[in-house]
Amino acid sequence: MSDHISGPRALADPIADITDVYAFPSPERPGCLVLVQNTLPFAAADARFSDGLIYRFRLRPVTVVDAQPGASPFDVHDAEEVVFDCEFSEPDRAGSQEGMCRTPTGELVSFAVNDERGGCPAGVRAFAGVRWDPFILDAPAALKTIAAGRLAFTDPGAIYMDGKNVLSLVLEIDTATYLPGAQLVGFISETLTSGRLNVRIERVGRPEVKNMLLAPKQFDRVNRDLEIRDIYNMENGFHLADGYLGAHRARLNANLRFWDGLDGNLDWAYADHTHPLTELVLADYLVVDVTKPFAAEGSFFEIEQSILEGRTHSTCGGRPLNDDVMDRLFTLWINAGHGPVIRDGVDQASRPATDTFPYVAAPNPDPPAQPEHH
């Protein structure tokens, strides 16, 4: 789950399907920021990247504003954007493939797919290749919870078809070079068609916005027939257009209220049926404090939650690979973080990430096959 198969286009073109996005200060190289984009659910051991896609990493400095209750506390609209674009050659007869990353200053960093040393000139180290899917969630239990209208998690839970592979693209960038003077940075990752016309296929910031908060239709009385995820994917995550804002808000208000009521209580304060988290969810990018050191766990959404609670954040935020973020999200959605921890029964990946580049665990040489009717 997370962002696996997050809409009809992702199902139709899985090579462009972003499964997960991560951002964290490097535990190996202080002063560097690690950015991870995983694609292609159920990647085969010999899978290769598309030569028809741009794999894009977008960053903007984030300003915290004194927002009104229910509004997003972040402003990125006038910030200067930093973009890294990665493209790949067509694999040769032996299956070898080359990647090329264009930096914001126009320099090109080349690297061979599956070379763990990575290309590393110009303040950028890059890796691309098949890796173990690091996501931590009992996805069938989460979907059963939505369908049944009651918590369906068990202890222990199970990672759906554990041992799946994905295609991982990892960039490690020097913050002094590319983000000089920045403290808080917003990160979005995208896949787009290459060539003269670049069409955004997928974009991901935080986990489970699309599959847990936008996919369910049955609670939305305004847009009950609308599959909204492809529309959401096409939006500029740093600046949503006016045309579909009402639809996005109606879906989030309805589904966040559903999650809030699962424990029998409404723990969030509503004004005119508007959920207090809706605008923050729509500011859909990972927020990282690049001046703070790496934290292996507990940093995801800590910056956002500290603002909600009126305190100063204490971690780097972002999203590290081994952080069990779903328990934190379920607890936030269901009891506003003021009750017991809501666990899905899965606390770690069966093959955790490492503290050395390229961080994402080595691939499964014999991964489970994708179900025929998945």
Side-chain angles (χ1 to χ4, degrees), residues 211-230:
N211 285 336
M212 293 289 109
L213 298 183
L214 288 174
K217 302 176 185 178
Q218 62 268 40
F219 313 111
D220 182 355
R221 297 183 179 180
V222 178
N223 306 289
R224 184 162 289 178
D225 294 332
L226 180 63
E227 169 52 86
I228 204 170
R229 290 176 294 175
D230 281 354

Side-chain angles (χ1 to χ4, degrees), residues 329-350:
L329 285 177
F330 289 135
T331 304
L332 180 74
W333 299 342
I334 293 170
N335 62 38
H338 302 311
V341 173
I342 307 297
R343 297 183 58 250
D344 70 336
V346 178
D347 298 323
Q348 63 182 14
S350 52

Side-chain angles (χ1 to χ4, degrees), residues 27-44:
E28 186 180 37
R29 299 172 69 190
C32 290
L33 179 66
V34 180
L35 308 171
V36 180
Q37 182 200 91
N38 291 339
T39 56
L40 187 58
F42 298 98

Side-chain angles (χ1 to χ4, degrees), residues 141-298:
L143 295 177
K144 185 178 179 181
T145 294
I146 295 172
R150 57 177 177 77
L151 289 172
F153 300 125
T154 59
D155 192 7
I159 298 175
Y160 178 66
M161 296 193 72
D162 195 21
K164 303 181 297 297
N165 288 330
V166 290
L167 289 175
S168 282
L169 180 54
V170 182
L171 298 186
E172 189 172 74
I173 66 171
D174 181 70
T175 54
T177 300
Y178 296 108
L179 298 165
Q183 180 183 7
L184 296 183
V185 176
F187 171 52
I188 296 172
S189 196
E190 301 175 340
T191 52
L192 309 92
T193 59
S194 63
R196 291 179 179 271
L197 178 63
N198 303 138
V199 177
R200 185 182 294 115
I201 300 175
E202 277 247 282
R203 53 107 174 178
V204 177
R206 300 192 192 98
E208 289 303 352
V209 171
K210 280 174 268 176
N211 285 336
M212 293 289 109
L213 298 183
L214 288 174
K217 302 176 185 178
Q218 62 268 40
F219 313 111
D220 182 355
R221 297 183 179 180
V222 178
N223 306 289
R224 184 162 289 178
D225 294 332
L226 180 63
E227 169 52 86
I228 204 170
R229 290 176 294 175
D230 281 354
I231 297 171
Y232 187 82
N233 270 321
M234 294 181 70
E235 295 263 18
N236 178 351
F238 285 129
H239 188 70
L240 299 181
D242 292 335
Y244 293 101
L245 265 177
H248 297 325
R249 286 172 174 149
R251 182 63 55 85
L252 288 173
N253 285 331
N255 289 342
L256 284 165
R257 189 181 183 96
F258 160 75
W259 285 103
D260 187 7
L262 280 175
D263 61 352
N265 300 304
L266 291 180
D267 298 280
W268 291 95
Y270 297 81
D272 299 324
H273 303 288
T274 299
H275 194 285
L277 285 179
T278 292
E279 297 304 315
L280 183 53
V281 171
L282 286 174
D284 189 6
Y285 37 84
L286 291 176
V287 179
V288 191
D289 188 332
V290 298
T291 69
K292 291 191 179 294
F294 170 74
E297 56 185 32

